[in-house]
Amino acid sequence: MEKQAEIELRPEDRGDDYDAIVVGSGYGGSVAACRMSMAGIKVCLLEKGRRWKAEDFPTDIWKIMSAVRYQNQNLGVRFGPEDALFQLYEQNDSLAAVACGLGGGSLVNAGVMLPTPIRARRNLKWPKEWERDWDICESSAAAMLRIQSSSVKFPIAKVMGEIAGAEFEANIESSVKLSVNFDVEEPPSNPPRLEQINSCFACGNCLAGCPYNAKNSTDKNYLVSAIQAGCTIRTKCQVQYVIKNPHGICQPGGISRKRRWRVYINEIDYITSDWVILSAGVLGTTEILFRSQMRGLRLSDTLGSGFSCNGNNLAYVAGSPAPLNGYGLNRKQLSEIPFQDRPGPSISSSHTSSLGFTIQSAILPRAYPYLLFEGITTYNWPTGYRFFQGIVHRLKHFIGLGLSQSIILNAMGYDESDGKIMLEKDTDKICFHPPQDPLLPRKIIAFQKLTKKLGGILCMSRYRSTAVHLLGGCNASSDSSGGVCNHKGQVFDPKTPATVHAGLYVCDASLIPCSVGINPSLTIATAAEHASRYLVQDILEYKNKISASVAAADQNQFSVTGKNLENDNESTVLIKETMRGYVGGMPCTVHLKMKMQSQNLKSFDKRNWFIGEPHPLLRGKAGGYVVFRAIEKDRLHVIDGEMDLCVVDGRTPYTQYMHYRLLLAAASGSRYILEGKKIMNPYHFALYAWRETTTLYVTFNKVAQSGSTGTMLNLKGELRVSFTELLKCFISLKGNGRGRFIHLLLQTLIRTYILQIPRVTRENFIVTDSCDKSYPSSTIDDIRTADGYIIRSRHWKNARNPLLLSREKVLNPILLLNGYTMESYWLPTEPHDLVRNLLEEGHDVWLLQTRLHPLNPANNATIEDIGKYDIPPAFGKILEVHGPSTKIHVVAHCAGGLAIHIALMGGHVSATHIASLSCTNSSMFFKLTALATIKMWLPLVPVSSSTLLAYTYGISFILAARC
């Protein structure tokens, strides 16, 4: 396993491209990872827990307390590490226990490997397709797990054999085979290259993890083979949900050129692949699918239904004088007690009653807190046994005075498989209701009889169901109306009954659609072997199609797009931000989790700050959700978010922007895009800094889906960050780079509001792609004015097809008059400036560069000079080109508007040559009104410009005052 350790500890391995991702490493995930890797498929296995070596397993009560995570759904109590070895879920009168670690439940179970009973295989819910190769797959799993039987009959097996045979009618004592190494069987002729493990010491500590490396857990067989075949394993990596890649591109035939699925490690980081195999256990897989469903993944309505606890019920028998040797041994005791007198493996006998259930006795590991079983989590039978008696019993056993023994009794049977697993939307936590167990009264009676024979005191579990063998929740069925997956493990797309989501599989105990009645480990591994056969075939066929279609394409097309694996980069900063406001007049709240992480800090030059390049640490990814009840009743989850807190536009180099772009997914399957911008203007001495830095101007659009005929949304609004939320945001900052992040953010704001330094100069301004198309060519004509000045006129000929123009009415030319030294209409950096639009409409465009233009310097020039001397020859030039009867459209801005009116009112230009006149300055309203009034009051005769302007501004002032 040295190679595995190297893989787990390789933090720089972040850029690999995987064909398939397996989530979970128990009896399902390990089988799938092994079979795919051995077929040459590039696989990455993700495991929530950590790797447990033999010396890491708890051997005393203090160590096991730190290896347990407990969750009480009713009380909302949770404690213990997220990756604890034992995960306990308590709800109402039920308790579910699962394992967490590389190897899953195989790490801490008893390792009992029993063939699937015929009764289970004849169940109506059992997929008939499984029967075709069930025995072959079962043999394959048994060989990999190296199941064996012990030649020694240990004391507890002898005692249970005697009393069970006397109490049970038609009792069947099964020969228990275990995935434990006893070194009693000859190895196969061509054994797989598996890890060498020790022989069993019969210490009885199996249920706490074998401390002597003698158990054949999946990390020592299937996973070793997978790693040797090239599989990558990453531990401490909990998957939250999976979605279809929103940026996937399909080529003809439906073959994806980019990875089809995203597997999210948290709300921000994800990996992409073409296949995802969910094997996180019953609760884990169902929870992942529920969260995926909330983000738009279509799944069967039966998700979470058909949950079975395999009829599990536990009891504790204390104070028995029988020679059970029912306690696990430490190393010192192993040296003092002969092998045949030791407790043996945790379970060494199994007894099946004709009443329909199986009872097994189990050794208590030394690390287990026995007092929990003696009156705390149990009821006592017969009455009178008290908790303090348990304390006395423990003390006597500790000092060696007590000869009594205790054991665990585990009953398994056939429940109704009608339990339910759910995900509470408010708490985002999994909860469950156990199935009905009609055999429970019979099991209790059997427990009482065995306890009486053993001479002990029965402590029945307080929980109606104590489930250690969870099954179902994503049941295999023939169509989506009866289950979540087909017999191959492919997840149904309920759009049509038998359609599946290409590349999405389930391969663990959640496939099993009914109770098995015995330890289900071998059954789960067999079902995984069956599903893996079809999975490997599916992948190889797909890869052959891809190879044929992209043989001539660039191999980089196959790279993982947007891979964002979480790592411990020292510059990573995690931020939480909440904004509230109104979008489209409706209340909207945005809860964001942002991850600011620079990938290119080493290449960033500090001198870049002075030329305005924003720091990479101010860019990042976002996750979270949006509450917009008017649009969707449930949360809109962010499945792809980006933000940049220091955006600079070369057209406005003094202004700083903060851009947000969020791709949102709803449970209904709809997707939306929320884009926002904070605008920070360096004016008014930063009086509006608070408002500008806390106000996000947003647009909210619905993404059009193929074949959709619904109404598309296009809403606008504002969201704000309150002072309290901003304070929480800074308090919640996490990461080693948070101090640097705050420094950089404040630095940009100081540069914007205080120093007012432009970030982009004309020399280093880069034209964007949208503006990079060639500008229409023009000609420049020099025009001599009556007073001897040389001015220029730029002429663009229309861009319309001449053949079309010959059939249509010829449009009048347009004369553009700028304002005072301002270029208002000819803007080459803008993709849709006025000149481009007018040319596309079919107009000839003339732009007059007057004596006030920077290219035509003139001394002591006035607006009256433009109207009197510059505009008339410009009209003459246009009439010369287009004909004397041509009418001209005039578009004027600010001072240009005054100049054209001076030319008209002074008689320098005839109104008969003007088709229309448009002034684009808002303040011109009053000036034009004033000129119209002058025209009414005064005869149309030349007047001095000073008098005309005096009247103009005087009347404008009066009208403005009245308005």
Side-chain angles (χ1 to χ4, degrees), residues 723-886:
F723 176 78
T724 304
E725 293 296 340
L726 187 63
L727 188 61
K728 291 180 181 179
C729 175
F730 281 101
I731 294 176
S732 65
L733 282 176
K734 294 181 181 179
N736 296 331
R738 59 184 181 273
R740 190 178 187 185
F741 168 77
I742 295 175
H743 170 74
L744 291 170
L745 184 60
L746 292 178
Q747 194 177 48
T748 62
L749 296 178
I750 291 174
R751 176 166 184 158
T752 298
Y753 286 113
I754 307 302
L755 302 179
Q756 297 187 8
I757 302 175
R759 288 178 173 80
V760 179
T761 63
R762 188 177 183 88
E763 288 74 18
N764 58 27
F765 172 70
I766 299 176
V767 180
T768 61
D769 293 338
S770 61
C771 307
D772 199 21
K773 59 182 181 181
S774 59
Y775 205 83
S777 60
S778 62
T779 59
I780 300 177
D781 298 311
D782 291 337
I783 302 174
R784 180 175 293 276
T785 64
D787 59 346
Y789 277 97
I790 299 296
I791 61 174
R792 292 179 177 86
S793 176
R794 186 178 290 272
H795 178 209
W796 288 273
K797 293 185 178 181
N798 67 77
R800 300 286 295 274
N801 190 331
L803 296 178
L804 295 178
L805 286 176
S806 63
R807 303 172 191 171
E808 301 175 359
K809 182 180 179 181
V810 178
L811 301 179
N812 294 322
I814 296 179
L815 174 63
L816 303 179
L817 299 176
N818 284 317
Y820 183 79
T821 70
M822 293 289 291
E823 197 67 77
S824 308
Y825 307 115
W826 175 38
L827 305 172
T829 61
E830 293 294 331
H832 302 292
D833 67 340
L834 184 59
V835 172
R836 279 192 174 109
N837 286 320
L838 292 175
L839 291 174
E840 291 175 0
E841 289 294 326
H843 293 277
D844 269 33
V845 180
W846 296 76
L847 175 65
L848 181 61
Q849 297 175 347
T850 68
R851 64 187 65 203
L852 294 181
H853 194 277
L855 297 179
N856 304 320
N859 297 323
N860 302 320
T862 65
I863 297 176
E864 183 179 4
D865 295 332
I866 297 174
K868 184 177 180 180
Y869 297 112
D870 293 356
I871 294 179
F875 266 71
K877 183 65 178 178
I878 297 174
L879 295 176
E880 177 186 339
V881 174
H882 295 279
S885 61
T886 302

Side-chain angles (χ1 to χ4, degrees), residues 152-194:
V152 177
K153 195 166 187 177
F154 295 98
I156 192 171
K158 295 178 182 179
V159 174
M160 291 300 297
E162 294 175 0
I163 63 173
E167 288 297 333
F168 292 166
E169 297 179 1
N171 167 60
I172 301 174
E173 182 177 358
S174 303
S175 175
V176 178
K177 287 196 172 184
L178 308 169
S179 57
V180 176
N181 184 34
F182 294 105
D183 278 341
V184 295
E185 296 185 3
E186 292 295 328
S189 57
N190 295 311
R193 294 179 299 164
L194 306 182

Side-chain angles (χ1 to χ4, degrees), residues 414-475:
Y414 296 92
D415 57 32
E416 297 293 337
S417 301
D418 58 354
K420 183 74 173 177
I421 303 174
M422 297 156 290
L423 184 70
E424 291 188 350
K425 294 181 179 180
D426 294 336
T427 61
D428 199 31
K429 297 296 181 182
I430 204 75
C431 60
F432 62 92
H433 294 300
Q436 295 296 319
D437 187 0
L439 298 179
L440 180 58
R442 296 181 181 183
K443 296 173 189 174
I444 296 176
I445 294 174
F447 285 152
Q448 292 173 344
K449 289 181 178 181
L450 290 175
T451 302
K452 187 175 182 180
K453 284 287 186 178
L454 290 171
I457 298 174
L458 177 65
C459 300
M460 277 299 301
S461 171
R462 292 180 181 270
Y463 306 106
R464 175 171 61 90
S465 173
T466 307
V468 294
H469 299 150
L470 305 179
L471 302 171
C474 302
N475 295 2

Side-chain angles (χ1 to χ4, degrees), residues 54 180-183 196-201 211-215:
V180 176
N181 184 34
F182 294 105
D183 278 341
Q196 295 298 319
I197 61 175
N198 299 325
S199 179
C200 179
F201 284 76
Y212 303 108
N213 195 33
K215 186 189 293 187

